[in-house]
């Protein structure tokens, strides 16, 4: 199996793993507090994650959602529009994904596809692109005026770092799915994407819905900076949760577990990983039949 080449830990300025993990843990606890506030207060939030291919959007989203309730926080990554969706108002399929009260929606790419990939790759007409640039600030202003908390993050990566990450993905079987022929086109169209991004910012970096740029050559720093900033933009507070206590386990009433041969168990693949002198796993069924059900 090909091994992934990690970033150089000793590279000047790169955030070391130990302080990164400590601060990430603290921020994830804060995100849980924030989530409970959103739910209790009936708030609605949309967070847009945009940037070049391999800029680190997906990794940041994973760290945001890692400890959160998927019933409250939902990640949306829409596929290519269907033939029917292509005939709709451009923003229509995104409107369907907007949050209700007490929900947070994270957009892993968003309506800004039209200003980026579609614009550069010729998947939309010039008229459609110009219409988007006119309508997008109005659309976002309507969201904000209706009370939605809208935050937009652009993950900025250098051309050298992007190429390094592309090479990682090509050689790592667990990441190969992350890269496509279209992604590789972004190398040859680097300047075209830069011009498209600059034009997009000129129209859509508005007082009501500003863009926040995340320097992402250092993935760890980018994740920490993005999460800390997101939390700093909302005046959330602690929510008093009901006090819960484990009830006493009732005395046995004679239940006996059915014989194991009547059930189909998955093979114990983990047994091949244990040292020969080790006993059974800590959670193995005791002889008296208690334990797993």
């Amino acid at each position: 199996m090909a091994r992934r080449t990690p970033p150089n830990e000793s590279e000047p300025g790169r955030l070391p793993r130990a302080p990164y993990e400590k601060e990430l843990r603290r921020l994830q606890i804060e995100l849980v507090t924030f989530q409970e506030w959103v739910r209790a207060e009936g708030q609605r939030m949309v967070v847009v994650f945009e940037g070049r291919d391999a800029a680190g959007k997906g990794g940041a989203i994973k760290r945001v959602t890692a400890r959160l309730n998927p019933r409250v926080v939902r990640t949306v990554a829409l596929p290519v529009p269907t033939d029917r969706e292509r005939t709709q108002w451009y923003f229509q399929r995104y409107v369907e994904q907007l949050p209700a009260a007490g929900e947070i929606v994270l957009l892993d790419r968003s309506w800004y596809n039209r200003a980026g990939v579609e614009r550069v790759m010729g998947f939309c007409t010039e008229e459609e692109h110009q219409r988007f640039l006119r309508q997008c600030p109005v659309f976002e202003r309507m969201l904000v005026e209706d009370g939605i908390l809208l935050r937009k993050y652009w993950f900025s990566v250098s051309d050298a770092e992007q190429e390094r990450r592309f090479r990682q993905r090509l050689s790592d079987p667990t990441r190969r799915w992350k890269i496509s022929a279209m992604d590789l086109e972004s190398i040859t169209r680097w300047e075209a994407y830069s011009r498209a991004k600059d034009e997009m910012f000129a129209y859509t970096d508005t007082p009501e819905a500003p863009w926040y740029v995340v320097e992402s050559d250092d993935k760890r720093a980018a994740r920490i900076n993005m999460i800390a900033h997101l939390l700093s933009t909302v005046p959330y507070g602690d929510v008093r949760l009901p006090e819960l206590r484990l009830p006493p386990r009732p005395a046995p009433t004679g239940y006996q577990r059915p014989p194991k041969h009547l059930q189909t168990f998955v093979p114990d693949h983990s047994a091949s990983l244990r040292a020969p002198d080790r006993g059974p796993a800590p959670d193995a069924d005791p002889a008296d039949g208690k334990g797993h059900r």
Side-chain angles (χ1 to χ4, degrees), residues 5 26 28 70 100 120 142 148 153 178 190 210 218-219 277:
T5 303
R26 186 190 72 82
Q28 288 177 333
V120 174
M142 291 171 63
I148 289 178
Y153 291 99
K178 287 187 172 185
W190 181 269
D218 182 343
K219 286 184 178 181
D277 58 340

Side-chain angles (χ1 to χ4, degrees), residues 39-55:
R39 182 163 57 175
E41 296 294 325
Q43 295 288 336
R44 294 170 293 160
M45 170 164 261
V46 174
V47 186
V48 170
F49 291 79
E50 287 288 347
R52 294 181 185 271
D53 296 313

Side-chain angles (χ1 to χ4, degrees), residues 108-124:
D108 186 354
R109 293 201 178 280
S110 64
W111 44 82
Y112 283 101
N113 274 342
R114 175 137 294 178
V117 174
E118 292 189 20
R119 165 67 166 152
V120 174
M121 300 301 294
F123 297 153
C124 67

Side-chain angles (χ1 to χ4, degrees), residues 79-94 96-97 114 128:
V80 174
T82 64
D83 290 342
R84 181 176 182 275
E85 287 172 334
R86 289 190 182 95
T87 68
Q88 296 174 344
W89 176 47
Y90 176 72
F91 294 94
Q92 188 168 333
R93 70 183 190 137
Y94 294 102
E96 295 172 353
Q97 301 297 330
R114 175 137 294 178
E128 289 172 329

Side-chain angles (χ1 to χ4, degrees), residues 64 79 87 132 167 174 216 252 256 275:
V64 171
T87 68
F132 170 84
R167 293 187 186 281
T174 66
S216 63
Q256 294 293 323

Side-chain angles (χ1 to χ4, degrees), residues 2 16 66 112 118 123 127 141 145 155 157 177 183 190 197 208 228 236 240 254-255 268 271-272 279:
Y112 283 101
E118 292 189 20
F123 297 153
E127 179 184 358
R141 189 175 300 117
E145 287 180 354
F155 284 72
V157 66
W177 63 271
D183 295 331
W190 181 269
K197 176 256 183 179
E208 298 86 1
Y236 67 96
R240 186 167 185 174
Y255 169 79
D268 188 5
S272 64

Side-chain angles (χ1 to χ4, degrees), residues 238-258:
D238 289 328
V239 173
R240 186 167 185 174
L241 301 176
E243 183 177 346
L244 301 176
R245 294 184 179 182
L246 286 176
R249 190 174 298 278
T253 59
Y255 169 79
Q256 294 293 323
R257 184 179 184 181

Side-chain angles (χ1 to χ4, degrees), residues 28 31 49 60-68 106 226-227:
Q28 288 177 333
L31 282 169
F49 291 79
I61 291 172
K62 286 180 181 178
R63 273 65 183 185
V64 171
T65 60
R67 307 296 180 183
L68 301 183
L106 310 179
M226 178 263 144
I227 297 173

